[in-house]
Amino acid sequence: MGAKSGSGHILCVVGARPNFMKIAPIMRAFAAPESALEARLVHTGQHYDEAMKQAFFEQLNIPEPDIDLEVGSGSHAQQTAEIMKRFEPVLDEAPPAAVLVVGDVNSTIACALVAVKKGIPVIHVEAGLRSGDRSMPEEINRILTDQLSDLLFLTEDGARENLRREGIADDKAHFVGNVMIDTLLYNLRDAVPAVQTLAAAGVEGPFGLVTLHRPSNVDEPAVLRRLLEVLSEASHSTPLLFPIHPRTAARIEQAGLGSLLENAAITTLPPLGYLEMLGLMKEARVVFTDSGGIQEETTALGVPCITLRENTERPITVEEGTNSVVGTDPAAILAAYRQVLADGGKRGRSPELWDGAAARRIVGEINRWVEARS
Ligand code: UD1
């Protein structure tokens, strides 16, 4: 830090796993000679396990955080409040030109709220996405963070309409593409070959991949059971690999559903690193998921994605990509799956500006914006 002089620094925030892939290309673009502004990094500590955090910092070459708030887990209120309390002194000590937040996790809203109350501008990367489902904690985080932001960067141009509906001025929003896909394209050649991960897991041949962690899918035992039953059925024609998020592992154990997995052709794994996951996604016959990022990554890779949710905040992955949003009804899930077995599933194309250069556009725009304000 401190290598650049002039217009001050941008304080970038990460907290949870999906933030890490988004911040990596942004930090790199700030470090490039074209940027007069330097970036500093705060990690809130929302995700802290080796598998949920450190592996990503190492594989994605994210600089060690300048500050780690070490908040850890808790209820939404506890976690958000704790992040806010610990973030405030960071801003007091060295006020940045702006605070940059990514995505829609609790760390995103918590830091945006602290900054705006101190008169520090907020920049939101991945703004304007809406699922329309307010029971989803991330939806609340998205709506509120966008309201607080001075500069909003969009992954799909359609998101602009969502912002207009909420009264956010058009000139604050810039359609720049997708930093998650910057990271995917940058790392594609270094992905760990799927055969390697499969061999270590004792799985052979064509396979499918599963991820599941949304509270709406895993916190209610009846829903979780239904999903595991349907995945178990699917696994009889394609063996499935299932890297398990800690929340999901805990819920399966609490609900006593482990035997459902043991009796199926489903191999469970601990959460995987980015490069292992990328290698698997690239080669998978099909991906079942409730993740936001994986809907985008499979679209960029051209791999069929069956999304186990009733809605998506990323409609372009359905309109242009390989994503089918089927909900949690077994018949609908199996119908989409049979389609994949029959003809390889949905084909699509990579959306506009998902070209690997989103972070450079973002950092260029931030430099111009800070310059114009000073
Ligand atoms: C968070 C994000 C979600 C994102 C997901 C990706 C919010 C509201 N949700 O959900 O949008 O898709 O991250 O993973 O911010 N835990 C560990 N080790 C860790 C982190 C968590 O064991 O390093 C366990 C704890 O038991 C914790 C639970 O996972 O209570 C949930 O973690 P939390 O950060 O509250 O939310 P996620 O479900 O991970």
Side-chain angles (χ1 to χ4, degrees), residues 6-25:
S7 336
H9 70 282
I10 304 294
L11 192 57
C12 299
V13 175
V14 289
R17 184 170 59 178
N19 294 162
F20 304 141
M21 311 67 157
K22 293 170 195 167
I23 215 67

Side-chain angles (χ1 to χ4, degrees), residues 91 95-99 112-122 150 369 373:
L91 297 183
V99 166
L113 188 50
V114 175
V116 77
K117 293 269 182 94
K118 291 188 159 290
I120 296 172
V122 175
D150 296 86
W369 180 78
R373 287 165 58 91

Side-chain angles (χ1 to χ4, degrees), residues 78-99:
Q78 284 165 350
Q79 192 174 59
T80 309
E82 204 52 48
I83 296 168
M84 291 179 70
K85 268 162 63 182
R86 296 187 193 193
F87 188 56
E88 182 167 45
V90 176
L91 297 183
D92 289 338
E93 205 162 297
V99 166

Side-chain angles (χ1 to χ4, degrees), residues 288-358:
F288 296 93
T289 193
D290 59 8
S291 150
I294 291 176
Q295 294 173 53
E296 299 182 331
E297 290 165 336
T298 45
T299 274
L301 292 167
V303 171
C305 179
I306 298 178
T307 295
L308 309 176
R309 287 175 43 189
E310 303 299 334
N311 48 55
T312 181
E313 60 288 332
R314 294 161 161 87
I316 204 156
T317 60
V318 176
E319 290 151 14
E320 297 186 11
T322 54
N323 190 17
S324 307
V325 178
V326 300
T328 61
D329 172 43
I333 298 170
L334 289 173
Y337 176 58
R338 280 194 210 100
Q339 197 61 46
V340 172
L341 296 183
D343 65 4
K346 208 173 156 183
R347 285 173 189 79
R349 60 183 162 99
S350 201
E352 190 185 354
L353 297 187
W354 289 22
D355 59 359

Side-chain angles (χ1 to χ4, degrees), residues 4 7 35 49 100 114 134 142 150 188 192 221 256 275 296 298 322 336 343 357 359 368 370:
K4 305 198 183 203
S7 336
S35 175
D49 279 0
L100 181 150
V114 175
R134 286 198 177 214
R142 293 181 196 118
D150 296 86
L188 205 48
V192 175
L275 297 176
E296 299 182 331
T298 45
T322 54
D343 65 4
R368 282 192 287 281
V370 170

Side-chain angles (χ1 to χ4, degrees), residues 16-18 46-49 52 73-74 76 79 104-107 137-138 141 213-214 245-247:
R17 184 170 59 178
Q46 177 175 346
H47 284 174
Y48 44 87
D49 279 0
M52 299 295 284
S73 302
H76 283 258
Q79 192 174 59
D104 54 16
V105 303
N106 286 342
S107 301
E138 293 80 3
N141 295 343
H213 74 282
R214 293 253 99 78
H245 184 286
R247 164 197 284 279

